[in-house]
PDB file of all heavy atoms in Angstrom:
ATOM      1  N   ARG A 104      30.126   8.399 -16.346  1.00 95.00           N
ATOM      2  CA  ARG A 104      29.987   7.116 -17.034  1.00 95.00           C
ATOM      3  C   ARG A 104      29.953   7.309 -18.548  1.00 95.00           C
ATOM      4  O   ARG A 104      29.448   8.327 -19.045  1.00 95.00           O
ATOM      5  CB  ARG A 104      28.709   6.393 -16.600  1.00 95.00           C
ATOM      6  CG  ARG A 104      28.527   6.248 -15.106  1.00 95.00           C
ATOM      7  CD  ARG A 104      27.399   5.286 -14.786  1.00 95.00           C
ATOM      8  NE  ARG A 104      27.772   3.899 -15.083  1.00 95.00           N
ATOM      9  CZ  ARG A 104      26.938   2.867 -14.953  1.00 95.00           C
ATOM     10  NH1 ARG A 104      25.677   3.080 -14.573  1.00 95.00           N
ATOM     11  NH2 ARG A 104      27.344   1.643 -15.243  1.00 95.00           N
ATOM     12  N   TYR A 124      26.447  -7.203 -26.016  1.00 93.00           N
ATOM     13  CA  TYR A 124      26.317  -6.785 -24.617  1.00 93.00           C
ATOM     14  C   TYR A 124      26.602  -5.290 -24.479  1.00 93.00           C
ATOM     15  O   TYR A 124      27.336  -4.718 -25.286  1.00 93.00           O
ATOM     16  CB  TYR A 124      27.278  -7.572 -23.719  1.00 93.00           C
ATOM     17  CG  TYR A 124      27.172  -9.069 -23.880  1.00 93.00           C
ATOM     18  CD1 TYR A 124      28.145  -9.782 -24.596  1.00 93.00           C
ATOM     19  CD2 TYR A 124      26.112  -9.772 -23.329  1.00 93.00           C
ATOM     20  CE1 TYR A 124      28.048 -11.158 -24.753  1.00 93.00           C
ATOM     21  CE2 TYR A 124      26.010 -11.154 -23.482  1.00 93.00           C
ATOM     22  CZ  TYR A 124      26.977 -11.845 -24.197  1.00 93.00           C
ATOM     23  OH  TYR A 124      26.877 -13.189 -24.351  1.00 93.00           O
ATOM     24  N   ARG A 125      26.027  -4.705 -23.429  1.00 92.00           N
ATOM     25  CA  ARG A 125      26.324  -3.296 -23.127  1.00 92.00           C
ATOM     26  C   ARG A 125      27.646  -3.218 -22.364  1.00 92.00           C
ATOM     27  O   ARG A 125      27.912  -4.038 -21.468  1.00 92.00           O
ATOM     28  CB  ARG A 125      25.213  -2.666 -22.298  1.00 92.00           C
ATOM     29  CG  ARG A 125      23.929  -2.423 -23.075  1.00 92.00           C
ATOM     30  CD  ARG A 125      23.058  -1.399 -22.391  1.00 92.00           C
ATOM     31  NE  ARG A 125      23.653  -0.072 -22.462  1.00 92.00           N
ATOM     32  CZ  ARG A 125      23.140   1.013 -21.869  1.00 92.00           C
ATOM     33  NH1 ARG A 125      22.040   0.910 -21.152  1.00 92.00           N
ATOM     34  NH2 ARG A 125      23.731   2.181 -21.976  1.00 92.00           N
ATOM     35  N   VAL A 126      28.455  -2.228 -22.736  1.00 94.00           N
ATOM     36  CA  VAL A 126      29.767  -2.051 -22.129  1.00 94.00           C
ATOM     37  C   VAL A 126      29.813  -0.660 -21.499  1.00 94.00           C
ATOM     38  O   VAL A 126      29.431   0.335 -22.124  1.00 94.00           O
ATOM     39  CB  VAL A 126      30.895  -2.195 -23.175  1.00 94.00           C
ATOM     40  CG1 VAL A 126      32.254  -2.056 -22.503  1.00 94.00           C
ATOM     41  CG2 VAL A 126      30.776  -3.533 -23.906  1.00 94.00           C
ATOM     42  N   PHE A 127      30.270  -0.583 -20.258  1.00 96.00           N
ATOM     43  CA  PHE A 127      30.322   0.685 -19.527  1.00 96.00           C
ATOM     44  C   PHE A 127      31.757   1.033 -19.168  1.00 96.00           C
ATOM     45  O   PHE A 127      32.546   0.162 -18.782  1.00 96.00           O
ATOM     46  CB  PHE A 127      29.498   0.598 -18.238  1.00 96.00           C
ATOM     47  CG  PHE A 127      28.021   0.451 -18.465  1.00 96.00           C
ATOM     48  CD1 PHE A 127      27.447  -0.809 -18.530  1.00 96.00           C
ATOM     49  CD2 PHE A 127      27.210   1.556 -18.631  1.00 96.00           C
ATOM     50  CE1 PHE A 127      26.090  -0.966 -18.742  1.00 96.00           C
ATOM     51  CE2 PHE A 127      25.850   1.414 -18.841  1.00 96.00           C
ATOM     52  CZ  PHE A 127      25.290   0.155 -18.901  1.00 96.00           C
ATOM     53  N   ASN A 137      25.220   0.658  -7.637  1.00 88.00           N
ATOM     54  CA  ASN A 137      24.499  -0.369  -8.383  1.00 88.00           C
ATOM     55  C   ASN A 137      24.208  -1.579  -7.511  1.00 88.00           C
ATOM     56  O   ASN A 137      24.907  -1.848  -6.527  1.00 88.00           O
ATOM     57  CB  ASN A 137      25.296  -0.815  -9.615  1.00 88.00           C
ATOM     58  CG  ASN A 137      25.087   0.129 -10.782  1.00 88.00           C
ATOM     59  OD1 ASN A 137      24.386   1.120 -10.676  1.00 88.00           O
ATOM     60  ND2 ASN A 137      25.704  -0.187 -11.912  1.00 88.00           N
ATOM     61  N   VAL A 160      35.238  -6.338 -15.927  1.00 97.00           N
ATOM     62  CA  VAL A 160      34.452  -7.182 -15.027  1.00 97.00           C
ATOM     63  C   VAL A 160      33.185  -7.550 -15.784  1.00 97.00           C
ATOM     64  O   VAL A 160      32.476  -6.675 -16.288  1.00 97.00           O
ATOM     65  CB  VAL A 160      34.106  -6.443 -13.725  1.00 97.00           C
ATOM     66  CG1 VAL A 160      33.199  -7.315 -12.847  1.00 97.00           C
ATOM     67  CG2 VAL A 160      35.372  -6.048 -12.969  1.00 97.00           C
ATOM     68  N   ILE A 161      32.921  -8.835 -15.889  1.00 96.00           N
ATOM     69  CA  ILE A 161      31.770  -9.285 -16.674  1.00 96.00           C
ATOM     70  C   ILE A 161      30.683  -9.843 -15.753  1.00 96.00           C
ATOM     71  O   ILE A 161      30.951 -10.263 -14.626  1.00 96.00           O
ATOM     72  CB  ILE A 161      32.168 -10.362 -17.716  1.00 96.00           C
ATOM     73  CG1 ILE A 161      32.651 -11.630 -17.018  1.00 96.00           C
ATOM     74  CG2 ILE A 161      33.243  -9.822 -18.648  1.00 96.00           C
ATOM     75  CD1 ILE A 161      32.919 -12.795 -17.962  1.00 96.00           C
ATOM     76  N   GLY A 162      29.455  -9.850 -16.247  1.00 94.00           N
ATOM     77  CA  GLY A 162      28.356 -10.420 -15.494  1.00 94.00           C
ATOM     78  C   GLY A 162      28.338 -11.932 -15.563  1.00 94.00           C
ATOM     79  O   GLY A 162      28.886 -12.543 -16.491  1.00 94.00           O
ATOM     80  N   ASN A 163      27.690 -12.532 -14.569  1.00 93.00           N
ATOM     81  CA  ASN A 163      27.624 -13.989 -14.535  1.00 93.00           C
ATOM     82  C   ASN A 163      26.857 -14.546 -15.737  1.00 93.00           C
ATOM     83  O   ASN A 163      27.123 -15.666 -16.191  1.00 93.00           O
ATOM     84  CB  ASN A 163      26.953 -14.439 -13.234  1.00 93.00           C
ATOM     85  CG  ASN A 163      27.109 -15.916 -12.983  1.00 93.00           C
ATOM     86  OD1 ASN A 163      28.219 -16.426 -12.880  1.00 93.00           O
ATOM     87  ND2 ASN A 163      25.981 -16.631 -12.895  1.00 93.00           N
ATOM     88  N   ILE A 165      27.095 -13.365 -18.802  1.00 94.00           N
ATOM     89  CA  ILE A 165      28.080 -13.437 -19.897  1.00 94.00           C
ATOM     90  C   ILE A 165      28.997 -14.627 -19.688  1.00 94.00           C
ATOM     91  O   ILE A 165      29.369 -15.318 -20.643  1.00 94.00           O
ATOM     92  CB  ILE A 165      28.897 -12.132 -19.975  1.00 94.00           C
ATOM     93  CG1 ILE A 165      27.963 -10.942 -20.261  1.00 94.00           C
ATOM     94  CG2 ILE A 165      29.982 -12.228 -21.030  1.00 94.00           C
ATOM     95  CD1 ILE A 165      28.669  -9.607 -20.301  1.00 94.00           C
ATOM     96  N   TYR A 194      30.612 -10.461 -11.710  1.00 95.00           N
ATOM     97  CA  TYR A 194      29.643  -9.902 -10.768  1.00 95.00           C
ATOM     98  C   TYR A 194      28.298 -10.613 -10.891  1.00 95.00           C
ATOM     99  O   TYR A 194      27.969 -11.235 -11.901  1.00 95.00           O
ATOM    100  CB  TYR A 194      29.455  -8.396 -10.991  1.00 95.00           C
ATOM    101  CG  TYR A 194      28.580  -8.039 -12.177  1.00 95.00           C
ATOM    102  CD1 TYR A 194      27.188  -7.995 -12.052  1.00 95.00           C
ATOM    103  CD2 TYR A 194      29.130  -7.733 -13.412  1.00 95.00           C
ATOM    104  CE1 TYR A 194      26.382  -7.663 -13.130  1.00 95.00           C
ATOM    105  CE2 TYR A 194      28.336  -7.408 -14.497  1.00 95.00           C
ATOM    106  CZ  TYR A 194      26.958  -7.372 -14.347  1.00 95.00           C
ATOM    107  OH  TYR A 194      26.162  -7.061 -15.414  1.00 95.00           O
ATOM    108  N   GLU A 196      23.990  -9.937  -9.562  1.00 87.00           N
ATOM    109  CA  GLU A 196      23.058  -8.925  -9.082  1.00 87.00           C
ATOM    110  C   GLU A 196      22.542  -9.313  -7.699  1.00 87.00           C
ATOM    111  O   GLU A 196      22.304 -10.488  -7.420  1.00 87.00           O
ATOM    112  CB  GLU A 196      21.891  -8.771 -10.052  1.00 87.00           C
ATOM    113  CG  GLU A 196      22.310  -8.216 -11.407  1.00 87.00           C
ATOM    114  CD  GLU A 196      21.136  -8.109 -12.374  1.00 87.00           C
ATOM    115  OE1 GLU A 196      20.044  -8.592 -12.021  1.00 87.00           O
ATOM    116  OE2 GLU A 196      21.329  -7.552 -13.474  1.00 87.00           O
ATOM    117  N   ASP A 205      18.747  -9.395 -20.071  1.00 66.00           N
ATOM    118  CA  ASP A 205      19.883  -8.529 -19.768  1.00 66.00           C
ATOM    119  C   ASP A 205      20.451  -8.792 -18.374  1.00 66.00           C
ATOM    120  O   ASP A 205      21.380  -8.109 -17.939  1.00 66.00           O
ATOM    121  CB  ASP A 205      19.458  -7.054 -19.873  1.00 66.00           C
ATOM    122  CG  ASP A 205      19.188  -6.654 -21.319  1.00 66.00           C
ATOM    123  OD1 ASP A 205      19.835  -7.221 -22.203  1.00 66.00           O
ATOM    124  OD2 ASP A 205      18.321  -5.787 -21.544  1.00 66.00           O
ATOM    125  N   SER A 206      19.872  -9.740 -17.649  1.00 74.00           N
ATOM    126  CA  SER A 206      20.314  -9.996 -16.290  1.00 74.00           C
ATOM    127  C   SER A 206      21.768 -10.453 -16.268  1.00 74.00           C
ATOM    128  O   SER A 206      22.137 -11.452 -16.908  1.00 74.00           O
ATOM    129  CB  SER A 206      19.431 -11.071 -15.651  1.00 74.00           C
ATOM    130  OG  SER A 206      19.877 -11.396 -14.362  1.00 74.00           O
ATOM    131  N   GLU A 207      22.596  -9.702 -15.539  1.00 88.00           N
ATOM    132  CA  GLU A 207      24.015 -10.019 -15.375  1.00 88.00           C
ATOM    133  C   GLU A 207      24.715 -10.169 -16.723  1.00 88.00           C
ATOM    134  O   GLU A 207      25.597 -11.019 -16.907  1.00 88.00           O
ATOM    135  CB  GLU A 207      24.168 -11.296 -14.533  1.00 88.00           C
ATOM    136  CG  GLU A 207      23.573 -11.155 -13.139  1.00 88.00           C
ATOM    137  CD  GLU A 207      23.573 -12.447 -12.339  1.00 88.00           C
ATOM    138  OE1 GLU A 207      23.848 -13.502 -12.929  1.00 88.00           O
ATOM    139  OE2 GLU A 207      23.288 -12.389 -11.127  1.00 88.00           O
ATOM    140  N   ARG A 208      24.325  -9.335 -17.675  1.00 91.00           N
ATOM    141  CA  ARG A 208      24.933  -9.372 -19.010  1.00 91.00           C
ATOM    142  C   ARG A 208      25.429  -7.988 -19.415  1.00 91.00           C
ATOM    143  O   ARG A 208      25.088  -7.472 -20.474  1.00 91.00           O
ATOM    144  CB  ARG A 208      23.937  -9.934 -20.031  1.00 91.00           C
ATOM    145  CG  ARG A 208      23.747 -11.437 -19.928  1.00 91.00           C
ATOM    146  CD  ARG A 208      22.715 -11.981 -20.886  1.00 91.00           C
ATOM    147  NE  ARG A 208      22.762 -13.441 -20.933  1.00 91.00           N
ATOM    148  CZ  ARG A 208      22.168 -14.236 -20.054  1.00 91.00           C
ATOM    149  NH1 ARG A 208      21.464 -13.697 -19.057  1.00 91.00           N
ATOM    150  NH2 ARG A 208      22.262 -15.559 -20.158  1.00 91.00           N
ATOM    151  N   GLN A 209      26.221  -7.401 -18.543  1.00 93.00           N
ATOM    152  CA  GLN A 209      26.860  -6.126 -18.819  1.00 93.00           C
ATOM    153  C   GLN A 209      28.340  -6.240 -18.475  1.00 93.00           C
ATOM    154  O   GLN A 209      28.753  -7.141 -17.734  1.00 93.00           O
ATOM    155  CB  GLN A 209      26.202  -4.994 -18.022  1.00 93.00           C
ATOM    156  CG  GLN A 209      24.742  -4.762 -18.407  1.00 93.00           C
ATOM    157  CD  GLN A 209      24.087  -3.697 -17.547  1.00 93.00           C
ATOM    158  OE1 GLN A 209      24.607  -3.285 -16.523  1.00 93.00           O
ATOM    159  NE2 GLN A 209      22.918  -3.240 -17.969  1.00 93.00           N
ATOM    160  N   ILE A 210      29.115  -5.312 -19.030  1.00 95.00           N
ATOM    161  CA  ILE A 210      30.565  -5.340 -18.844  1.00 95.00           C
ATOM    162  C   ILE A 210      31.023  -3.985 -18.314  1.00 95.00           C
ATOM    163  O   ILE A 210      30.587  -2.936 -18.807  1.00 95.00           O
ATOM    164  CB  ILE A 210      31.287  -5.654 -20.169  1.00 95.00           C
ATOM    165  CG1 ILE A 210      30.894  -7.049 -20.663  1.00 95.00           C
ATOM    166  CG2 ILE A 210      32.803  -5.549 -20.016  1.00 95.00           C
ATOM    167  CD1 ILE A 210      31.481  -7.409 -22.016  1.00 95.00           C
ATOM    168  N   TYR A 211      31.890  -4.016 -17.298  1.00 97.00           N
ATOM    169  CA  TYR A 211      32.457  -2.799 -16.720  1.00 97.00           C
ATOM    170  C   TYR A 211      33.959  -2.764 -17.007  1.00 97.00           C
ATOM    171  O   TYR A 211      34.658  -3.753 -16.781  1.00 97.00           O
ATOM    172  CB  TYR A 211      32.231  -2.756 -15.208  1.00 97.00           C
ATOM    173  CG  TYR A 211      30.785  -2.697 -14.800  1.00 97.00           C
ATOM    174  CD1 TYR A 211      30.040  -3.860 -14.599  1.00 97.00           C
ATOM    175  CD2 TYR A 211      30.133  -1.478 -14.604  1.00 97.00           C
ATOM    176  CE1 TYR A 211      28.711  -3.815 -14.229  1.00 97.00           C
ATOM    177  CE2 TYR A 211      28.806  -1.417 -14.221  1.00 97.00           C
ATOM    178  CZ  TYR A 211      28.106  -2.591 -14.038  1.00 97.00           C
ATOM    179  OH  TYR A 211      26.776  -2.538 -13.671  1.00 97.00           O
TER     180      TYR A 211
END
Side-chain angles (χ1 to χ4, degrees):
R104 308 192 72 183
Y124 308 104
R125 288 200 69 184
V126 182
F127 293 92
N137 277 2
V160 176
I161 65 174
N163 192 60
I165 299 178
Y194 78 85
E196 294 178 353
D205 290 329
S206 177
E207 299 174 349
R208 285 177 169 82
Q209 296 176 347
I210 297 176
Y211 296 89

